[in-house]
Amino acid sequence: MLYQLHSLSQQVLQPWHLWAQAARKQLTLPGSPLPMLYSGRTLLAGIELFERCTNNYEKPEFGICHTQINGRKVLVREEIAQAKPFCDLLHFRRFCQEKHPKLLLVAPLSGHYATLLRGTVEHFLPDHEVYITDWSNARDVPVSEGGFSFDDYVSYLLDFIELLGPNVHVMAVCQPSVPALAACAWLAMQNSPHQPASLTLMGGPIDTRINPTEVNDYASTHDYEWFERNVICTVPEEYEGAGQLVYPGFIQLSGFMMMNPDLHIQKHFKFFGDLIQGDGDSAESHRKFYNEYLAVMDLPAQFYLDTIQRVFLEHQLPRGTLTYRGQPLDLGAIKQTALMTVEGELDDITGRGQTKAALDLCTNLPANKKRHLEQPGVGHYGIFNGRRFREQIGPAIKAFIHQR
């Protein structure tokens, strides 16, 4: 019922959104005096704010068409290296002769699209062959394709790693840190020739018992049945995945927004003021951020519930009870894959020490194959995007990869 009400509200607001969009375009045509008048800019700012607040934000584009390699501008084209029902392995193919390490960037399946890592991809493209997990919106996956669980997630990663061949480097951002570490443990236990050369875990919930955050507390104060009853919905008929059980993106987004409601309200008031003052750069920066932030996707219900149970309620990985397809996983088997953990000092989603715990869990990995980086002054999103990532975190990860 909740999903149906949300879908109905979107349909009701759509005509008003289209009216606001048409009005803004009409009132800003060449020759219109409104942008030159304070009262006119105030009117236009109000219309655009209303337009954005009633918009249904769809999946953004990566929009990466080129990169710089050795001072040369090189064409980049997105290609699907492997297609699966719940995820496409996307390859940013560079049209050049240079041979660089393959990097599998594992994007989180946690509500936002993989395009949230656009800046991360751009940073590594000049000296890496970059692949990324482009997760599908569960509402668009037909029921005939079946469900998607935590074990299925690990299986996807195993298939992608095998496809990319030996010596691939894997970087997992936030939520996929647990399944990525599980996949590496499984490959090590099988003595597979496809074990990654390195694994980098960034702001991931390896052990959420350490310095728990508000997000961790929210998960741990409810049981499995509560989540199953209160946040799992059925996709309505108007979508291709009608009948799928999902954790809707709009619920996830509401939770994120309510963590810092005052901050988001202040940002929108500032956006309104920037439009009136004619500060185009600041207004465009706001648009870009919220176009990405407000575009959310539905998660497969079984994967979401598995993650709640295994990662946040039972802490199976640090307790040594995590399994894959019914088989216990032994992190002590990891001896070849170098491991780097990255945390942000001000991370309010993954507490300090939660990701670093992976280093202690890999008991048989030599010390010279372990590294930890805690970046001062950055929060969760600053770990993989922004100035400090480009200037300090990214180069440190590249150095770690190239040492292997």
Side-chain angles (χ1 to χ4, degrees):
M1 179 62 71
L2 182 61
Y3 207 128
Q4 283 79 357
L5 288 173
H6 173 76
S7 183
L8 178 62
S9 68
Q10 291 293 319
Q11 294 176 28
V12 170
L13 289 172
Q14 185 67 2
W16 294 97
H17 167 74
L18 294 175
W19 172 84
Q21 186 180 69
R24 177 180 57 81
K25 291 180 178 179
Q26 183 69 28
L27 295 173
T28 54
L29 287 173
S32 172
L34 287 181
M36 294 180 287
L37 303 173
Y38 183 86
S39 58
R41 291 196 300 273
T42 303
L43 173 63
L44 290 172
I47 292 175
E48 181 170 352
L49 193 60
F50 178 81
E51 177 192 350
R52 294 187 62 80
C53 289
T54 56
N55 192 18
N56 183 22
Y57 292 86
E58 297 295 334
K59 179 182 178 180
E61 299 291 334
F62 275 101
I64 301 175
C65 301
H66 64 270
T67 188
Q68 291 283 334
I69 300 179
N70 296 328
R72 294 186 298 109
K73 186 176 181 180
V74 174
L75 178 67
V76 174
R77 185 171 68 194
E78 296 177 25
E79 297 180 350
I80 297 177
Q82 188 173 28
K84 289 179 173 289
F86 286 90
C87 183
D88 289 334
L89 179 61
L90 197 61
H91 177 208
F92 293 90
R93 182 185 174 193
R94 308 169 308 162
F95 287 81
C96 64
Q97 299 299 318
E98 282 81 359
K99 300 296 182 183
H100 289 134
K102 290 182 180 178
L103 176 65
L104 172 58
L105 185 55
V106 187
L109 178 55
S110 57
H112 287 103
Y113 290 96
T115 51
L116 194 67
L117 305 185
R118 183 186 295 105
T120 320
V121 173
E122 289 176 330
H123 181 76
F124 282 94
L125 266 178
D127 39 24
H128 293 79
E129 198 71 40
V130 180
Y131 297 76
I132 193 170
T133 54
D134 190 17
W135 299 103
S136 304
N137 192 336
R139 76 178 187 192
D140 299 325
V141 181
V143 175
S144 59
E145 296 290 354
F148 187 79
S149 66
F150 180 92
D151 283 354
D152 292 325
Y153 194 118
V154 176
S155 293
Y156 272 36
L157 295 187
L158 291 172
D159 288 346
F160 294 155
I161 290 171
E162 182 176 352
L163 176 71
L164 298 181
N167 297 320
V168 65
H169 300 268
V170 179
M171 188 167 77
V173 179
C174 190
Q175 164 269 315
S177 293
V178 175
L181 191 55
C184 286
W186 180 259
L187 290 170
M189 290 168 59
Q190 307 303 311
N191 198 26
S192 170
H194 298 288
Q195 295 179 59
S198 75
L199 171 64
T200 302
L201 306 178
M202 308 182 71
I206 299 299
D207 189 349
T208 59
R209 298 172 300 178
I210 302 172
N211 293 323
T213 63
E214 185 177 342
V215 175
N216 304 148
D217 290 339
Y218 172 77
S220 61
T221 53
H222 301 86
D223 58 21
Y224 181 94
E225 288 73 22
W226 184 91
F227 286 100
E228 193 173 28
R229 288 194 310 268
N230 291 280
V231 300
I232 300 302
C233 298
T234 302
V235 176
E237 291 295 328
E238 59 263 32
Y239 298 102
E240 190 174 354
Q244 280 276 19
L245 292 177
V246 298
Y247 173 52
F250 64 84
I251 294 181
Q252 175 97 332
L253 179 62
S254 298
F256 279 138
M257 298 286 278
M258 291 310 296
M259 284 179 62
N260 293 292
D262 293 341
L263 176 63
H264 293 290
I265 292 172
Q266 289 171 10
K267 284 187 174 182
H268 280 75
F269 271 115
K270 183 179 183 302
F271 174 65
F272 183 76
D274 290 337
L275 290 174
I276 295 174
Q277 298 300 324
D279 188 348
D281 290 341
S282 296
E284 185 59 24
S285 177
H286 176 97
R287 294 187 191 101
K288 286 182 178 179
F289 174 81
Y290 278 100
N291 285 351
E292 200 80 53
Y293 189 79
L294 297 176
V296 291
M297 58 191 290
D298 298 347
L299 277 60
Q302 192 56 58
F303 168 75
Y304 174 75
L305 293 172
D306 283 352
T307 300
I308 290 293
Q309 182 176 25
R310 295 187 177 197
V311 178
F312 295 98
L313 295 180
E314 298 181 359
H315 313 287
Q316 292 181 5
L317 187 63
R319 285 178 171 168
T321 60
L322 186 65
T323 62
Y324 169 64
R325 304 297 185 196
Q327 299 296 316
L329 290 171
D330 179 16
L331 296 185
I334 301 176
K335 300 176 183 178
Q336 297 182 23
T337 302
L339 178 61
M340 181 177 184
T341 55
V342 180
E343 296 179 344
E345 178 191 18
L346 306 179
D347 195 332
D348 59 350
I349 293 179
T350 304
R352 295 169 65 184
Q354 292 186 10
T355 311
K356 185 181 179 182
L359 298 174
D360 294 330
L361 294 174
C362 296
T363 54
N364 293 319
L365 188 64
N368 63 357
K369 288 191 174 184
K370 295 180 179 180
R371 186 181 175 191
H372 177 66
L373 171 64
E374 180 181 305
Q375 182 62 44
V378 302
H380 189 72
Y381 294 100
I383 295 173
F384 56 87
N385 255 322
R387 180 178 59 83
R388 285 194 177 94
F389 168 76
R390 293 190 300 271
E391 294 178 357
Q392 296 174 289
I393 299 175
I397 297 173
K398 288 183 180 182
F400 179 76
I401 288 175
H402 284 277
Q403 286 175 359
R404 311 300 146 193

